């Protein structure tokens, strides 16, 4: 027996409480809570007295006042007479726009890079490697600025625009592309497309059932492809191309008509996508190579074809490894889109956290809104990830 | 096929057939093994053909390395105008740090290398002594750079260039590592209040972009301080960078903690070690070792993110470059600036990621042993 | 001896007992793992505990050094009752050595450092003294020459012997063995059992969860059979093996002896 126990009866109440497992954990937590609370109390009290001394209050009234600044690219109607709130919505939509397009392009390029990195061709493999290493090891802000600089400096003025078959024009003021206007018959095509998707979902299940029951295989992929793409395309031409494209035309110093994609958007979109694609490429490569050779060999030994091995054995396992880090790359892309402010693309940070903040002097309110918006995005994405992880765990059982 | 018959058990090792080895076989196996492979090779060669010559021309053959201003460059060549970078090189390195005190920056850099050796190589001589110096280094360097205590003070607004990148990066890692460890332990804790606090802090940090935190530092942080306190902008930025990277550090270390088998803690418990003893002696040494590649990768991310400080007006190399572009002598040379800074980041980050890869391989072989 | 100074004193008769377990219950959530366990272990007694997997035998001995918490009943180890008092838990743990199924050696420390860790940090022994103590026990388990290697460089049997030496370095009065040989290759089981048999001849109190019936016959003073979280039967080894009373004991014995 050691000293501590011998002296036990003399221990005072404090040390007795401290040595009890449950009271100790309560004591530690009370202290921690008090410290955290004191810290926040101190900050909030400072904030209140600081705001008072300069005669400011906390209010969201400024959101309903006119913004009086312009936004060059907006998905909804917006002018300088619109409110700050509307400006914020424009900012949110612009962030989402670049995030959605970025995720799509980054995924396509990323999977391509991943596959190239696994290619047996030494040259392609090394090219993909050099690309990935270059892109990953240079800050994304630099990519954005470099690309923006190249677009603004290297592309010609509208009068000398790069002409892509008289329909699209690349200039340093933006990319001018045809804008579609839809005739009523177009909605038939759109309807067929949606119907095609539903059909293929049903057909896949049906084919699966037939296969289970009789062992017969349908060429599911080709039939679905035909239903989703083939029939709508056919219908489009049979109905006499029911989309009218408005082609931009050079009027004076600039193009009129059609749609314009601003160089800021292009630079941000391409740079973010290519940057994220490099990371996705590595994730895809790692995911696929993590599936041991043994798995492919076992499948091959069973006599499955190369395509079936990929489809039935490698890809389902690789996706489990790939998807969680892939989602966090999507989240990174969304967060990195906040760098838009460096080139003047009007996203959340640049609208409410930038111009609105500077004009109204509402630092507290604006920054809180910005932080909350980003937290919401990441909460949504990470709850999707948790849901997915749970689903995978169920499958494993 | 060999003609000769050998007595069983005495067959010698023969060289492989000649069509299996040599450069021809290598090219056939790696570039031309199938029609698809041949097409890939052709595409790659074509890609190299259109990319490499113009790049080489712009970088070297058509580039101007000397010249007074942009026009002088353009008069000589159409490619890059490196004269610009040459003229501003000191600015890129030291920012606006006063000329007569630059020895302090140089000395800090040399000390940095000394401090890094014991951290990076576990076979370095006098390692335990060296590690103590490494821990002291951020404070020594801070004193050297900022001044005070006998050194003439240099305002942090004059910090800039690569030196600023290193200051932010090193401060970030030096302080975010211990905070990250505490957060990770807190997240694993079975005390609910501490756990909830750590989890919400980590998730908050990881849920918002760094730029918004920097905006908070530059616009609203001063409201939360006692009236009259004026905080240095660089210090505010450093605090935010440390908090930001500690959130990511915590998640990396948590991964390491989770990899430690439960039996390790049970064994430590059954020997009578206390919580902090078993963390310090048993769990953390193992968990940190596994996490090192992740820590290095987090650091690479942090290091690249230091460029964001230009958005709130600090002059890192990118900021110096952009400021220099407004000089009418050199206007329009943004590509040169960006590429120059990109090369700097590429070299340092690629070096670090190689190091982390080397560690990962070492860890892997260590496990197999 | 300082037992009489305890506030959480057990009854006077406890002085003869190393471990007293009275009416002990334990639940994992809804699951009742240990049901009304009663066990008195006299000082120096060697007890072997056996039973099918999931019978609660490991959980029971893990309760003895508070690796698992019990919810009802008393556990008194060497006169100290296991309560929420952390001082009592610390005291018990430094008196009780434990050997695990998967050794749980610390892979980042050498064999020597594994052995000296607890003496240095818990007992506050000077390093030189701890080193010589460790060497002494490493000699007893017959691997002094491996002292400067890392656990990963040793065979399973060697690792388990290091684990035993590591526990002995705290000079425990009670040793708990939680299936010490079941993670070992057959040819290594004997070297570990030999060490344990030698240890048994030295008067230390041992509680050992194992299926090595030969070991039980040689060493044990008493064999305890557990099933479904209860102690079903206990007896001296000869009686236990030759004349089992309970049906479940008979079934268990026939399964492990005939495979």
């Amino acid at each position: 027996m050691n000293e501590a126990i011998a002296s036990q009866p003399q221990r005072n109440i404090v040390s007795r409480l401290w040595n009890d497992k449950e009271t100790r954990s309560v004591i530690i937590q009370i202290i921690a809570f008090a410290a955290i609370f004191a810290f926040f109390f101190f900050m909030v009290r400072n904030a209140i007295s600081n705001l008072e001394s300069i005669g400011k209050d906390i209010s969201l009234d400024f959101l309903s006042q006119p913004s009086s600044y312009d936004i060059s690219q907006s998905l909804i109607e917006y002018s300088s007479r619109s409110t700050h709130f509307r400006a914020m919505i424009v900012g949110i939509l612009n962030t989402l726009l670049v995030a959605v397009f970025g995720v799509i392009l980054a995924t396509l390029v990323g999977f391509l890079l991943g596959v190239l990195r696994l290619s047996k061709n030494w040259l392609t493999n090394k090219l993909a490697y050099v690309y990935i290493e270059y892109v990953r090891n240079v800050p994304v802000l630099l990519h954005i600025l470099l690309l923006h600089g190249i677009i603004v400096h290297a592309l010609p003025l509208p009068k000398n625009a790069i002409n892509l078959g008289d329909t699209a024009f690349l200039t340093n003021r933006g990319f001018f592309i045809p804008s579609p206007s839809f005739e009523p018959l177009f909605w038939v095509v759109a309807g067929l497309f949606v119907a095609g998707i539903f059909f293929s979902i049903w057909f896949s299940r049906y084919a699966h059932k037939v296969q289970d029951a009789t062992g017969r295989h349908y060429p599911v992929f080709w039939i679905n492809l035909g239903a989703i793409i083939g029939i709508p395309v056919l219908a489009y031409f049979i109905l006499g191309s029911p989309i009218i494209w408005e082609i931009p035309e050079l009027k004076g110093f600039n193009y009129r008509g059609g749609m314009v994609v601003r160089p800021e958007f292009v630079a941000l979109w391409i740079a973010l996508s290519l940057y994220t694609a490099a990371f996705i490429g590595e994730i895809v490569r790692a995911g696929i190579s993590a599936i041991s050779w043994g798995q492919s060999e076992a499948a091959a030994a069973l006599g499955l074809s190369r395509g079936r091995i990929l489809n039935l054995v490698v890809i389902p396992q690789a996706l489990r490894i790939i998807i969680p880090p892939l989602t966090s790359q999507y989240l990174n892309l969304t967060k990195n889109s906040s760098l838009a402010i460096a080139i003047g693309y009007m996203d959340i940070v640049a609208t409410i956290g930038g111009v609105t903040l500077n004009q109204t002097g509402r630092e507290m309110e604006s920054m809180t809104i910005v932080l909350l918006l980003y937290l919401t995005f990441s909460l949504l994405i990470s709850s999707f990830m948790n849901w997915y992880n749970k689903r995978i765990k169920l499958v494993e059982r | 096929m060999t003609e000769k018959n050998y007595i069983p058990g005495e067959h010698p090792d023969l060289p492989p057939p000649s069509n299996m080895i040599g450069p021809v076989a290598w090219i056939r196996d790696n570039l031309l093994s199938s029609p698809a492979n041949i097409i890939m090779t052709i595409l790659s060669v074509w890609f190299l053909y259109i990319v490499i010559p113009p790049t080489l021309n712009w970088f070297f053959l058509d580039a101007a390395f000397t010249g007074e201003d942009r026009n002088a460059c353009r008069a000589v060549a159409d490619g890059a105008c490196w004269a610009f970078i040459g003229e501003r090189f000191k600015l890129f390195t030291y920012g606006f740090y006063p000329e007569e005190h630059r020895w302090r920056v140089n000395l800090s850099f040399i000390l940095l290398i000394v401090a890094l050796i014991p951290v990076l190589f576990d076979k370095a001589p006098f390692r335990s002594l060296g590690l103590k110096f490494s821990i002291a280094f951020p404070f020594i360097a801070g004193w050297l750079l900022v001044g005070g205590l006998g050194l003439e003070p240099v305002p942090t607004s004059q910090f800039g260039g690569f030196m600023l990148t290193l200051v932010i990066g090193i401060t970030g890692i030096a302080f975010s590592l211990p905070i990250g460890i505490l957060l990770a332990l807190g997240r694993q804790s079975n005390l609910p209040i501490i756990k909830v606090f750590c989890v919400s802090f980590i998730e908050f940090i990881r849920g918002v972009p760094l730029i918004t935190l920097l905006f908070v530092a530059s616009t609203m942080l001063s409201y939360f301080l006692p009236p009259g306190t004026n905080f240095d902008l660089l210090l505010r930025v450093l605090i935010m960078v440390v908090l930001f990277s500690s959130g990511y550090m915590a998640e990396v270390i948590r991964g390491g903690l989770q990899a430690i088998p439960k039996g390790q803690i049970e064994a430590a418990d059954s020997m009578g070690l206390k919580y902090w003893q078993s963390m310090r002696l048993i769990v953390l040494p193992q968990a940190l070792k596994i996490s090192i590649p992740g820590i290095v990768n987090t650091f690479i991310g942090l290091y690249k993110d230091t460029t964001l400080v230009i958005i709130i007006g600090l002059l890192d190399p990118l900021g110096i470059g952009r400021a220099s572009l407004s000089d009418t002598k050199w206007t329009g040379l943004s590509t040169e600036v960006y590429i120059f800074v990109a090369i700097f980041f590429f070299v340092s980050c690629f070096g670090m990621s190689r190091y982390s890869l080397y560690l990962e391989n070492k860890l892997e072989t260590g496990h197999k042993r | 001896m300082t037992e009489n100074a305890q506030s959480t004193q057990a009854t006077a008769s406890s002085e003869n007992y190393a471990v007293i377990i009275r009416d002990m219950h334990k639940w994992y959530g809804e699951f009742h793992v240990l049901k009304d366990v009663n066990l008195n272990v006299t000082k120096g007694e060697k007890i072997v505990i056996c039973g099918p997997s999931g019978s609660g035998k490991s959980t029971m001995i893990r309760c003895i050094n508070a690796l698992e918490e019990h919810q009802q009943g008393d556990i008194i180890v060497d006169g100290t009752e296991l309560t929420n008092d952390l001082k009592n838990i610390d005291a018990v743990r430094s008196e009780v050595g434990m050997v695990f199924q998967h050794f749980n050696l610390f892979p980042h420390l050498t064999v020597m450092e594994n052995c000296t860790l607890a003496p240095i940090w818990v007992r506050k022994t000077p390093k030189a003294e701890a080193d010589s103590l460790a060497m002494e026990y490493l000699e007893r388990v017959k691997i002094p020459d491996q002292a400067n290697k890392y656990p990963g460089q040793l065979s399973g049997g060697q690792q388990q012997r290091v684990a035993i030496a590591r526990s002995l370095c705290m000079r425990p009065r009670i040793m708990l063995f939680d299936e010490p040989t079941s993670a070992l290759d057959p040819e290594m089981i004997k070297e570990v059992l030999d060490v344990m048999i030698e240890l048994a001849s030295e008067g230390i109190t041992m509680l050992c969860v194992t299926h090595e019936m030969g070991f039980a016959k040689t060493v044990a003073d008493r064999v305890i059979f557990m099933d479904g979280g209860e102690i079903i039967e206990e007896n001296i080894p000869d009686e236990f093996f030759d004349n089992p009373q309970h049906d479940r004991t008979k079934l268990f014995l026939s399964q492990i002896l005939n495979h």
Side-chain angles (χ1 to χ4, degrees), chain A residues 1 4-6 8-9 11 19-22 24, chain C residues 2 5-7 69 84-88 91 173:
Chain A
M1 278 305 127
I5 297 210
Q8 208 173 26
R11 276 197 279 147
N19 278 313
D20 186 85
K21 213 193 312 182
E22 267 149 34
R24 182 188 286 193
Chain C
T2 55
Q6 301 279 320
S7 58
E69 238 177 299
N84 266 338
D85 194 322
L86 293 164
K87 278 263 186 304
N88 280 3
R173 293 182 216 174

Side-chain angles (χ1 to χ4, degrees), chain B residues 75-98:
Chain B
V76 188
D78 289 336
C81 176
W82 298 122
F84 169 44
I85 304 294
E87 197 201 71
R88 302 279 165 138
F89 193 76
K90 282 206 161 147
L91 204 59
F92 273 115
T93 315
Y94 299 104
F96 296 98
Y97 208 85

Side-chain angles (χ1 to χ4, degrees), chain A residues 73-75 92-110 175 177 180 259-262 264-277 280 329-330 333-334 337 345:
Chain A
Q73 181 182 314
S74 166
L75 290 179
I92 296 175
L93 289 176
N94 279 347
T95 291
L96 290 179
L97 181 75
V98 81
V100 168
F101 277 83
V103 162
I104 295 171
L105 185 61
T107 311
L108 291 177
V109 179
F175 297 174
I177 55 171
M259 276 196 295
V260 57
V261 186
R262 296 275 158 199
E264 293 79 29
F265 174 79
V266 176
L268 187 66
W269 173 47
I270 306 276
L272 282 179
S273 308
L274 294 186
Y275 181 75
T276 315
I280 295 180
Q329 285 305 322
Y330 291 163
L333 189 148
T334 311
S337 72
Y345 177 75

Side-chain angles (χ1 to χ4, degrees), chain C residues 231-250:
Chain C
I231 294 182
I232 304 283
E233 186 169 346
E234 52 181 298
N235 217 328
I236 56 166
D238 291 346
E239 279 290 301
F240 180 83
F241 291 110
D242 298 340
N243 189 17
Q245 303 297 315
H246 202 282
D247 287 345
R248 282 199 251 177
T249 321
K250 288 178 192 158

Side-chain angles (χ1 to χ4, degrees), chain A residues 333-348:
Chain A
L333 189 148
T334 311
K335 286 191 289 176
N336 281 336
S337 72
S338 59
L339 297 177
I341 194 168
I343 53 170
Y345 177 75
M346 299 300 272
D347 73 333
I348 296 174

Side-chain angles (χ1 to χ4, degrees), chain C residues 117-132:
Chain C
L117 187 85
I120 289 177
W121 291 97
V122 180
R123 289 259 196 270
K124 305 196 168 55
T125 317
K127 188 173 182 301
E129 206 180 301
D131 280 354
S132 67

Side-chain angles (χ1 to χ4, degrees), chain A residues 100-173:
Chain A
V100 168
F101 277 83
V103 162
I104 295 171
L105 185 61
T107 311
L108 291 177
V109 179
F111 273 75
L112 179 69
L113 282 171
V115 172
L116 290 182
R117 274 293 273 137
L118 291 164
S119 146
K120 278 195 193 125
N121 186 306
W122 183 86
L123 201 55
T124 357
N125 192 323
K126 290 296 167 231
L127 275 177
Y129 172 75
V130 169
Y131 172 83
I132 290 177
E133 288 300 332
Y134 164 70
V135 171
R136 284 206 307 177
N137 287 305
V138 171
V140 60
L141 180 59
L142 211 46
H143 289 304
I144 297 173
L145 291 174
L146 185 59
L147 200 60
H148 186 243
I150 288 175
I151 291 176
V152 172
H153 290 294
L155 284 182
L157 286 166
K159 60 175 177 178
N160 309 319
I162 299 176
N163 185 336
L164 300 179
D166 272 336
T167 46
F169 303 90
L170 309 186
T171 77
N172 63 2
R173 300 236 187 121

Side-chain angles (χ1 to χ4, degrees), chain B residues 303-329:
Chain B
Y303 188 77
K304 286 188 294 177
D305 278 346
T306 57
T307 48
L308 267 59
V309 298
I310 65 165
I311 294 176
I312 56 165
L314 293 184
L315 293 172
D316 84 327
L318 202 50
I320 297 271
R322 273 155 65 94
S324 309
L325 289 176
S326 54
D327 184 342
T328 45
K329 255 169 66 177

